[in-house]
Amino acid sequence: MALRVYDTRSRTKRTFEPLIEGTVRLYACGITPYSPSHLGHARQAIAFDVIVRWLRHSGFAVDYVTNFTDIDDKIINVANAEGVDFSVVAERNIADYYQVMDAMNVLRADAYPRVTETIPEIIEMVEQLIEKGHAYIGNDGVYFEIDTAPEKYGQLTGQTLDMVRAGAGGRVDDTGSGKRDHRDFALWKLAKPGEPSWASPWGEGRPGWHIECSAMSLKHLGETFDIHGGGADLLFPHHEAEIFQSECCLGHDPVVKYWLHNGLINVDGEKMSKSLENFWTIGDTFEHVHPLELRYALLNARYRQPIEFNMAMLEESKKHHERMMEVYGRALVAAGSGDWNGCDSLEEAAERFTAGMNDDFNSRTAMVEVQSVVRDLRALLESDSDAGLVAAGVAWLDEFAGGILGLLPDAESVRAAQAEGESARDALAAKVEPLLEARAAARAAKDWPRADQIRDQLNELGVVVEDSPDGPVWRIE
RNA sequence: GCACGAGUGGCAGAGCAGCUAUGCAACGGACUGCAGAUCCGUGGACCCGGGUGCAAAUCCCGGCUUGUGCUCCA
């Protein structure tokens, strides 16, 4: 069944057909590393991680590029406040990015280009735009002239030139005094004293905000490529500016075949943002939940929908993920991983999972299938059925929950965690066994207060006792 | 104001013309001294008003509410 993707530019779901058969070239806008990564970065990275995993699973060779905008006003501001070079700030936050993304099982992209490593290509692109009459040199930098390609306005947001002209009235920005029209945008900003800068034909300066993505995608993926992604907040002006730059520079249209945009994170019904103080860094969230539990929470909605983030939804995802891990761990230790082909219910689950993912990467539908396989697997474990079926369930989860959704740690660390649990259990057994016997005696004598008191003692040891039809079972809380 | 989305049961969240979504919660039952876990089962929804269709949560029109963008942002 064919993969269909929602393309922002055409505002429709389109059958996915790459420009070069069998390969997918994908560029996703990454971060500006001026502060530790936040939940919005996590959502973007995880959304495209799953998209890339699914494309590869579907047989495509994927070339996945995501960038670091490692020179920018905000980085400079932070560096100035700390009295350090801008690169110190950028490096520190890039390191943070890799660390938290690795923890959440985000596979590394094939390339992480940086603006500071792409300066020659950026300068060349700006020169070409000037040559072709799409850009002009102002007194404080080089600008793209919107009026040279008015038909490209509003390609992603549906806005028209007039709307923006009216909407921005009285709010003409103060940074581009050299602009001829407030809708023009900077390609190259001349440096003010003390700012980091690079030599260019127009003087010392640095790239404008949008040009780096046009230059980096061209450098790493070529003159046309299949998918360009990023957060929905980049639609305008960033991605529309890219369309102007790339298409006007290269002289063909379109440069990007499909535009994919992930939804934003909301807190209390509003977009998460620093000014509203409703801000969660990824590190903050790790204080409360395991990285994979956060990943679970962020995949619990389609990538395009906004997510309302709060402790309640986080706790619910934690609960679901813990349950999956418990069943998966027990099953893995009991039966190992086998082969799910030939098992009807698992094949049907795989079909529904596939249908969901092929429908614009609907990870939520996929998660429902994971939940149902987990439920069935737990029932199997409870009814000591044959190991082959259990192993088949493990294999299914390995492939889909682990391989595609990235929700499982690798099997070795699961085994290690199970083994660690076993040894912790053994260590406590000497203390627990006598108490269990005493409690059994009290229960036999129907001395309920005494039995409950012993249960409390066990709780203090961190042990939870549950009476089952087969006698009491205990586990470490 | 303009643009683009979204409005589904207590909550999360699918479906997007006819066929139980699912999960959590709730309720009932099994099992229980109690608790917990597990299993079985039940109820409950499609923002409002028109329209098209044999048939609409699903398509069309209008309205309302809400989010995002129009300014740095994943």
Side-chain angles (χ1 to χ4, degrees):
Chain A
M1 99 195 61
L3 170 63
R4 289 166 63 75
V5 303
Y6 184 90
D7 167 44
T8 309
R9 194 173 188 175
S10 61
R11 267 178 233 113
T12 55
K13 251 183 225 178
R14 300 165 60 195
T15 299
F16 181 74
E17 290 168 342
L19 293 158
I20 300 171
E21 195 177 343
T23 73
V24 178
R25 286 165 294 163
L26 193 166
Y27 183 94
C29 284
I31 63 161
T32 299
Y34 71 103
S35 67
S37 293
H38 62 247
L39 289 177
H41 300 134
R43 160 93 122 153
Q44 187 275 135
I46 290 168
F48 283 92
D49 181 46
V50 170
I51 286 171
V52 168
R53 287 167 183 252
W54 184 250
L55 290 170
R56 291 196 171 125
H57 180 85
S58 303
F60 293 106
V62 181
D63 195 359
Y64 175 34
V65 176
T66 191
N67 69 289
F68 290 120
T69 300
D70 62 345
I71 177 66
D72 162 277
D73 291 354
K74 292 191 292 298
I75 295 175
I76 293 171
N77 291 156
V78 173
N80 288 159
E82 293 181 12
V84 298
D85 190 72
F86 80 92
S87 63
V88 172
V89 173
E91 290 303 329
R92 179 217 302 155
N93 291 309
I94 288 171
D96 172 79
Y97 178 87
Y98 282 132
Q99 192 202 319
V100 295
M101 294 307 167
D102 286 348
M104 291 186 293
N105 257 186
V106 174
L107 265 25
R108 293 287 177 108
D110 297 297
Y112 289 94
R114 302 184 185 197
V115 177
T116 56
E117 296 167 350
T118 319
I119 301 291
E121 289 84 355
I122 289 171
I123 289 172
E124 191 185 335
M125 197 168 220
V126 175
E127 283 184 307
Q128 287 186 24
L129 286 168
I130 294 171
E131 272 172 35
K132 293 185 178 181
H134 288 292
Y136 58 88
I137 302 165
N139 62 307
D140 58 355
V142 181
Y143 293 93
F144 188 96
E145 187 169 12
I146 291 288
D147 280 337
T148 63
E151 75 285 359
K152 294 192 189 299
Y153 213 84
Q155 286 293 304
L156 299 177
T157 58
Q159 293 170 295
T160 64
L161 280 170
D162 292 342
M163 289 170 185
V164 177
R165 188 177 278 141
R171 204 158 6 92
V172 175
D173 78 56
D174 54 359
T175 56
S177 60
K179 287 183 185 180
R180 291 177 188 166
D181 184 304
H182 77 271
R183 295 160 305 164
D184 293 347
F185 54 88
L187 297 171
W188 187 263
K189 300 163 92 160
L190 294 178
K192 299 189 185 94
E195 287 182 346
S197 64
W198 288 261
S200 83
W202 320 285
E204 289 280 318
R206 64 179 186 277
W209 174 36
H210 315 295
I211 190 69
E212 85 282 6
C213 283
S214 287
M216 287 187 275
S217 60
L218 172 63
K219 178 179 177 182
H220 291 270
L221 295 176
E223 294 205 1
T224 56
F225 55 99
D226 302 294
I227 298 175
H228 189 127
D233 50 352
L234 297 182
L235 246 24
F236 188 96
H238 186 59
H239 286 337
E240 290 205 1
E242 279 190 60
I243 289 175
F244 277 113
Q245 295 163 340
S246 296
E247 294 185 354
C248 289
C249 175
L250 298 169
H252 57 81
D253 172 3
V255 165
V256 172
K257 189 162 183 185
Y258 306 96
W259 285 89
L260 270 54
H261 294 275
N262 63 274
L264 306 181
I265 302 269
N266 291 159
V267 173
D268 297 330
E270 286 179 296
K271 184 173 122 178
M272 191 179 77
S273 78
K274 280 191 169 170
S275 56
L276 291 168
E277 296 183 2
N278 58 1
F279 206 79
W280 291 68
T281 69
I282 297 170
D284 289 340
T285 315
F286 288 177
E287 305 275 312
H288 296 93
V289 297
H290 183 96
L292 293 181
E293 291 164 353
L294 174 58
R295 183 179 175 107
Y296 192 107
L298 296 178
L299 286 174
N300 213 199
R302 312 186 68 146
Y303 75 92
R304 228 157 1 87
Q305 301 302 127
I307 288 181
E308 178 66 31
F309 191 86
N310 53 51
M311 275 314 283
M313 68 83 83
L314 198 55
E315 291 291 345
E316 187 171 327
S317 293
K318 180 183 175 69
K319 187 161 69 177
H320 286 149
H321 190 267
E322 278 174 349
R323 180 169 303 192
M324 177 176 74
M325 287 306 299
E326 189 216 324
V327 171
Y328 176 76
R330 279 169 59 197
L332 181 67
V333 169
S337 183
D339 181 0
W340 58 268
N341 287 291
C343 174
D344 287 350
S345 66
L346 292 175
E347 285 185 354
E348 285 164 18
E351 275 171 30
R352 288 188 295 263
F353 186 105
T354 299
M357 290 302 288
N358 276 339
D359 180 17
D360 195 32
F361 312 104
N362 190 342
S363 64
R364 174 62 200 206
T365 302
M367 298 271 269
V368 167
E369 293 308 317
V370 171
Q371 285 178 330
S372 85
V373 169
V374 167
R375 191 191 55 218
D376 293 348
L377 187 54
R378 181 173 51 203
L380 276 177
L381 287 167
E382 306 269 330
S383 66
D384 30 68
S385 68
D386 76 286
L389 284 176
V390 175
V394 171
W396 195 98
L397 289 175
D398 279 339
E399 181 168 342
F400 294 101
I404 305 299
L405 298 175
L407 293 169
L408 300 174
D410 64 279
E412 271 322 297
S413 63
V414 174
R415 282 205 176 82
Q418 290 285 121
E420 196 181 315
E422 286 300 312
S423 63
R425 205 184 144 87
D426 290 346
L428 267 176
K431 284 184 185 170
V432 170
E433 296 298 344
L435 288 168
L436 283 180
E437 282 170 30
R439 178 162 175 272
R443 294 184 72 215
K446 297 197 191 297
D447 183 355
W448 312 126
R450 172 70 184 147
D452 289 345
Q453 187 204 338
I454 294 169
R455 184 160 61 194
D456 290 342
Q457 277 181 267
L458 286 161
N459 287 158
E460 281 166 25
L461 290 172
V463 170
V464 177
V465 188
E466 289 167 0
D467 296 314
S468 78
D470 302 324
V473 293
W474 64 280
R475 60 186 167 79
I476 297 166
E477 183 74 290

